[in-house]
């Protein structure tokens, strides 16, 4: 099969490509990525010379470019990881989120309709369901939980999900959607909580914790997410949504303290800062559907997964230091200066 992976130079797409190039040598993987601030060719270095891999630089918003690529390549499967993915950036500048996360998706699906594919898979998020209360551990997000978004980011992702389902119903496009909880693991851009804490703690810099650090996220290792997507793409049912999560709820303070302890750093580095506007209190997924229908089970436990991840950042300092020493510096100044 020939598989188009959009956004494959980012965190999850990059990990997906690493795993699939090895596990499915019979498939050809073509990555399409515009290399925004979050896209990094160094992430793709381990697969760049693989015979079943190719990289194409391009923008999913560019209708003519995408159409020409589909006409030439005849893809069997399209998996869309490409997105603007950071909530804080969406609060600062929503426009690009609407353009990439909604218009970009419509461009891809129109090309799928025109040239024909076996499956279009949309990588979505638990954030489309909004937030859960923190005093009701019995409440989880199910696939039929109503969409109820908070940030421009989650609203753009929810809009894309609705569009994908509309293309299935109206045009019969064979689609699937996965909605996953927070990922952690190798190659995550250090604007996100876990790599931000690791990189700043290693430099003995203050760790910004929003509000009181009580917000809860449901953490899943990125490899578990990637294997879930692979199962859905191969065995999932057209028109269906699948929730992905590992029942791994932690509040932010617990996560930060775990990392500081593992790195032998003092909790005095923790610095409480102004909260994120519209900050969702708690996310928690019910993955029962993908477990029972497709036989998926997460392999990583948070305790060992976070240790492996910390080791990865210790052993790949060059990868993230290129980022934190570059344009990211001015992002950090801009984003955190009013939060003190
Ligand atoms: P990321 O920001 O690390 O990577 C996004 C990639 O998309 C980058 O390589 C970037 O260059 C590329 N891209 C952005 N705009 C593009 C455009 N217009 N055309 C082509 N390429 C473009 O994101 P991530 O954390 O890897 O997330 C991947 C997907 O998974 C996103 O759709 C996100 O919404 C979803 N998701 C993320 C998480 C998480 O915890 N990170 C959890 C659930 C779902
Ligand atoms: O839930 C899935 C989502 O997870 C994905 O759809 C998003 O693409 C991804 O970015 C992530 O969103 P979050 O907003 O949950 O991730 P982030 O790492 O930005 O923040 C995690 C939690 O940590 C959140 O409650 C905010 C808090 N936080 C974050 C940063 C960057 C802090 O307290 N301090 C920080 O400096």
């Amino acid at each position: 099969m020939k598989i188009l992976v959009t956004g494959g130079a980012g965190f999850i797409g990059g990990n997906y490509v690493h795993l699939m190039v090895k596990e499915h040598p019979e498939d050809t993987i073509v990555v399409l990525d515009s290399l925004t601030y979050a896209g990094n060719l160094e992430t793709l270095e381990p697969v760049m010379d693989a015979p079943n891999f190719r990289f194409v630089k391009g923008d999913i918003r560019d209708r003519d470019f995408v159409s020409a690529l589909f006409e030439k390549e005849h893809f069997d499967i399209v998996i869309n990881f490409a997105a603007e993915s950071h909530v804080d950036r969406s609060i600062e500048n929503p426009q690009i989120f609407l353009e990439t996360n909604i218009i970009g998706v419509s461009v891809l699906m129109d090309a799928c309709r025109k040239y024909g594919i076996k499956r279009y898979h949309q990588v979505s998020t638990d954030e489309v369901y909004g937030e859960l209360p923190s005093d009701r551990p019995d409440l989880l997000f199910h696939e039929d939980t109503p969409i109820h978004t908070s940030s421009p980011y989650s609203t753009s992702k929810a809009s894309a999900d609705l569009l994908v389902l509309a293309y299935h119903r109206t045009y019969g496009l064979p689609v699937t959607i996965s909605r996953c909880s927070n990922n952690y693991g190798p190659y995550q851009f250090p604007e996100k909580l876990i790599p931000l804490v690791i990189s700043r703690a290693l430099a003995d810099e203050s760790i910004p914790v929003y509000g009181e650090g009580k917000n809860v996220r449901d953490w899943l290792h990125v490899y578990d997410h990637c294997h879930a997507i692979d199962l859905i793409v191969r065995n999932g049912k057209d028109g269906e949504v699948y929730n992905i999560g590992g029942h791994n709820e932690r509040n932010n303070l617990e996560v930060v303290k775990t990392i500081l302890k593992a790195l032998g750093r003092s909790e005095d580095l923790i610095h409480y800062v102004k909260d994120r506007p519209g900050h969702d209190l708690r996310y928690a997924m019910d993955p029962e559907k993908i477990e029972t229908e497709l036989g998926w089970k997460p392999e990583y436990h948070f305790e060992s997964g976070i240790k492996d991840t910390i080791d990865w950042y210790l052993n790949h300092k060059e990868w993230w230091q290129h980022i934190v020493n570059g344009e990211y510096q001015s992002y950090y100044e801009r984003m955190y200066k009013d939060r003190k």
Side-chain angles (χ1 to χ4, degrees):
M1 283 196 302
K2 195 185 260 189
I3 304 177
L4 176 66
V5 173
T6 59
F11 164 49
I12 306 175
N15 278 289
Y16 183 81
V17 170
H18 293 172
L19 294 174
M20 295 306 130
V21 160
K22 262 203 222 125
E23 292 173 18
H24 294 287
E26 72 282 9
D27 293 334
T28 299
I29 293 194
V30 178
V31 161
L32 170 65
D33 198 297
S34 62
L35 299 180
T36 67
Y37 79 93
N40 189 344
L41 277 187
E42 288 177 39
T43 298
L44 290 173
E45 249 168 35
V47 291
M48 249 340 161
D49 295 329
N52 59 338
F53 173 79
R54 252 178 317 124
F55 176 79
V56 178
K57 185 170 187 291
D59 196 315
I60 62 165
R61 294 169 298 170
D62 185 339
R63 218 166 256 284
D64 293 341
F65 178 86
V66 168
S67 184
L69 184 71
F70 273 66
E71 186 172 18
K72 181 170 149 233
E73 297 281 358
H74 305 288
F75 298 114
D76 298 296
I77 308 274
V78 175
I79 309 177
N80 180 34
F81 293 88
E84 288 293 333
S85 68
H86 194 41
V87 174
D88 293 323
R89 288 186 193 254
S90 83
I91 294 166
E92 191 190 38
N93 176 18
Q95 187 65 28
I96 183 73
F97 284 74
L98 310 185
E99 288 170 9
T100 292
N101 299 1
I102 307 174
I103 303 297
V105 167
S106 78
V107 168
L108 287 174
M109 285 192 306
D110 283 338
C112 289
R113 278 181 63 209
K114 187 163 173 198
Y115 296 103
I117 37 104
K118 295 196 178 91
R119 168 66 53 79
Y120 172 91
H121 182 75
Q122 174 70 7
V123 180
S124 186
T125 169
D126 57 0
E127 298 203 13
V128 302
Y129 299 121
E131 66 179 358
L132 290 164
S134 52
D135 58 352
R136 288 287 309 274
D138 56 311
L139 294 182
L140 303 173
F141 294 137
H142 308 280
E143 285 80 0
D144 58 0
T145 298
I147 300 283
H148 190 90
T149 58
S150 308
S151 69
Y153 163 71
S154 55
T155 304
S156 69
K157 293 295 291 184
S159 306
D161 285 9
L162 296 176
L163 200 60
V164 168
L165 293 173
Y167 270 57
H168 172 66
R169 168 132 191 198
T170 306
Y171 305 115
L173 198 71
V175 305
T176 42
I177 296 177
S178 54
R179 295 180 178 147
C180 189
S181 61
N182 283 64
N183 283 212
Y184 67 96
Y187 298 104
Q188 187 169 28
F189 195 88
E191 66 189 347
K192 306 287 179 1
L193 182 70
I194 287 180
L196 181 140
V197 174
I198 298 171
S199 57
R200 290 186 67 84
L202 284 172
D204 291 307
E205 289 170 334
S206 66
I207 309 295
V209 170
Y210 298 167
E212 296 178 1
K214 299 266 174 64
N215 302 63
V216 172
R217 297 293 182 264
D218 182 1
W219 294 97
L220 185 75
H221 195 282
V222 64
Y223 295 165
D224 282 328
H225 184 188
C226 292
H227 283 124
I229 291 173
D230 187 45
L231 267 181
I232 297 168
V233 165
R234 286 166 204 275
N235 305 328
K237 280 196 217 124
D238 284 347
E240 292 289 316
V241 174
Y242 296 88
N243 283 356
I244 309 171
H247 294 293
N248 225 320
E249 292 181 53
R250 297 275 188 289
N251 76 34
N252 295 336
L253 214 45
E254 289 174 294
V255 172
V256 170
K257 287 182 178 176
T258 302
I259 298 170
L260 290 176
K261 191 167 172 212
L263 289 173
R265 296 302 198 275
S266 161
E267 289 182 11
D268 292 344
L269 285 180
I270 293 173
H271 188 64
Y272 294 95
V273 299
K274 205 164 121 198
D275 211 350
R276 171 186 281 173
H279 197 175
D280 284 332
L281 192 53
R282 172 178 166 245
Y283 304 140
M285 278 304 212
D286 179 2
E288 198 194 329
K289 178 174 170 178
I290 186 170
E291 288 180 347
T292 53
E293 288 186 16
L294 303 182
W296 176 80
K297 269 254 171 287
E299 283 177 14
Y300 284 80
H301 292 290
F302 187 74
E303 286 70 20
S304 54
I306 192 76
K307 283 206 178 88
D308 291 355
T309 302
I310 292 170
D311 284 345
W312 187 88
Y313 280 86
L314 285 169
N315 294 326
H316 294 79
K317 279 192 180 152
E318 256 190 30
W319 181 86
W320 56 267
Q321 279 175 349
H322 286 172
I323 297 168
V324 295
N325 294 335
E327 193 218 328
Y328 176 75
Q329 285 264 359
S330 60
Y331 162 82
Y332 193 87
E333 293 303 320
R334 202 171 75 237
M335 198 56 86
Y336 289 86
K337 76 176 182 323
D338 295 330
R339 281 214 151 104
K340 283 171 184 153

